[in-house]
Amino acid sequence: MPIILNDHFTQTMIDMTWREIKELADENAFVILPLGVVEEHGPQLSLGTDTYLVYAKCVLIRDILERKGHKAVIAPPFYWGINQATGAFPGCFTSRPETVMAIIQDIIESLANFGFSNVFGVNHHGDKAHGKILIEAFKEAVEHTGMNARYVLEHRLKESYGLTGTEKHVTFLGPEVIETPETGFFDIHAGAIETAQMLRYYPEQVNRQMAGELPPLELGEDDIQRWMAGGQDTVALTPDGYLGHPADYGRVKVQFEKYAEGIAEYIFHDAV
Ligand SMILES: [Zn+2]
């Protein structure tokens, strides 16, 4: 029987030779670093959802940059981030902040040593603790390496991360670059949006029948705050591990191409 290998990371540095990496560095290729986690995503999606989705985004961004005439390369996906909200569910690997800090800095320092000048971190995991430490790690890395290393962030989120909008370790996306469509639900985790996104790019990772049978789950404002804080409260509030209405996936228009176009524009603007 043939062994079927997962080929989702084949377009990253992992599948290249050192000579190819050197050539790309010599050509000042932009490095795109996918940032995700291994996290439960309801009973209908796999733990790799965030890592897979950010990888899909990075492939699209890379292709757009190359169509515009600039070399780009995808770094090995990072998926040992922080799961504060859902950390009490089995399957949610979570790292200490200092671990994330250290690994991200090591990755960026390695890229600098290879000869790259630009690295853009693209994240698909909304956990606040995760985003916060990634932004700090990029800041530290810039100070240590002098590299143009930037975390890609929607401009509207800058206050929530205590940023002014002028930081050199962040690429701020304008309001026109919107990733998530409206679904009528507070759909921040494993709801219709991520179910639709996974069906679009990795249909074999979705239990479609299960998704279609899940009842909607809505939380009020206070409960959302409790949910984000994590622990057993989160499990009690969302025992199946999702928010929103996964069964509505058919109504979601996945907009990764448009989102990737937007990011590519800002990368061009911020690259050196
Ligand atoms: Zn997710």
Side-chain angles (χ1 to χ4, degrees):
M1 216 162 87
I3 298 170
I4 311 290
L5 292 174
N6 182 319
D7 65 353
H8 292 146
F9 296 152
T10 52
Q11 299 187 47
T12 73
M13 283 183 176
I14 288 170
D15 280 15
M16 297 176 179
T17 65
W18 74 268
R19 283 189 176 167
E20 289 172 284
I21 302 299
K22 183 176 185 319
E23 267 168 43
L24 286 161
D26 289 346
E27 289 174 289
N28 187 29
F30 302 155
V31 180
I32 310 158
L33 172 59
L35 302 164
V37 277
V38 180
E39 181 190 23
E40 71 80 17
H41 273 76
Q44 83 280 25
L45 302 173
S46 66
L47 301 180
T49 293
D50 285 3
T51 305
Y52 285 130
L53 291 176
V54 76
Y55 168 67
K57 287 177 190 170
C58 289
V59 170
L60 293 170
I61 295 166
R62 192 266 326 264
D63 290 351
I64 293 163
L65 289 169
E66 299 219 327
R67 275 206 302 278
K68 288 174 187 282
H70 204 286
K71 277 276 177 209
V73 59
I74 305 170
F78 167 86
Y79 44 84
W80 300 118
I82 296 176
N83 281 311
Q84 184 175 311
T86 56
F89 282 91
C92 291
F93 286 82
T94 195
S95 301
R96 286 163 286 170
E98 59 268 33
T99 308
V100 177
M101 276 294 270
I103 297 175
I104 293 295
Q105 286 184 67
D106 290 348
I107 291 170
I108 294 172
E109 190 156 350
S110 296
L111 292 167
N113 290 338
F114 302 163
F116 291 101
S117 303
N118 295 281
V119 54
F120 295 89
V122 179
N123 174 45
H124 181 106
H125 175 50
D127 198 308
K128 194 73 186 301
H130 172 82
K132 200 168 168 285
I133 207 72
L134 288 174
I135 293 170
E136 250 173 73
F138 271 73
K139 181 170 186 266
E140 288 282 320
V142 168
E143 281 167 15
H144 277 108
T145 63
M147 199 185 187
N148 184 37
R150 290 171 181 266
Y151 178 85
V152 175
L153 182 74
E154 287 176 45
H155 196 271
R156 65 181 175 88
L157 297 174
K158 70 179 197 305
E159 274 99 18
S160 64
Y161 287 106
L163 302 168
T164 63
T166 57
E167 285 81 0
K168 293 273 180 262
H169 56 285
V170 180
T171 281
F172 292 99
L173 303 175
E176 78 285 5
V177 189
I178 294 164
E179 177 197 356
T180 46
E182 282 297 322
T183 60
F185 282 91
F186 193 68
D187 192 344
I188 55 164
H189 182 68
I193 296 173
E194 285 188 316
T195 302
Q197 291 169 340
M198 285 299 279
L199 275 168
R200 167 82 180 273
Y201 294 102
Y202 310 98
E204 77 283 8
Q205 296 280 334
V206 183
N207 184 334
R208 193 188 290 250
Q209 192 192 333
M210 170 79 73
E213 291 166 359
L214 295 172
L217 196 145
E218 264 200 294
L219 297 179
E221 190 61 38
D222 288 353
D223 281 344
I224 292 284
Q225 295 307 321
R226 280 173 59 212
W227 186 87
M228 286 178 173
Q232 289 306 324
D233 261 8
T234 301
V235 180
L237 287 164
T238 54
D240 267 329
Y242 67 89
L243 276 165
H245 195 194
D248 257 357
Y249 62 80
R251 289 162 59 183
V252 175
K253 194 169 172 287
V254 178
Q255 308 186 61
F256 275 11
E257 279 93 349
K258 206 170 149 242
Y259 182 64
E261 283 279 353
I263 292 184
E265 282 296 324
Y266 282 88
I267 285 179
F268 262 109
H269 181 266
D270 283 349
V272 294

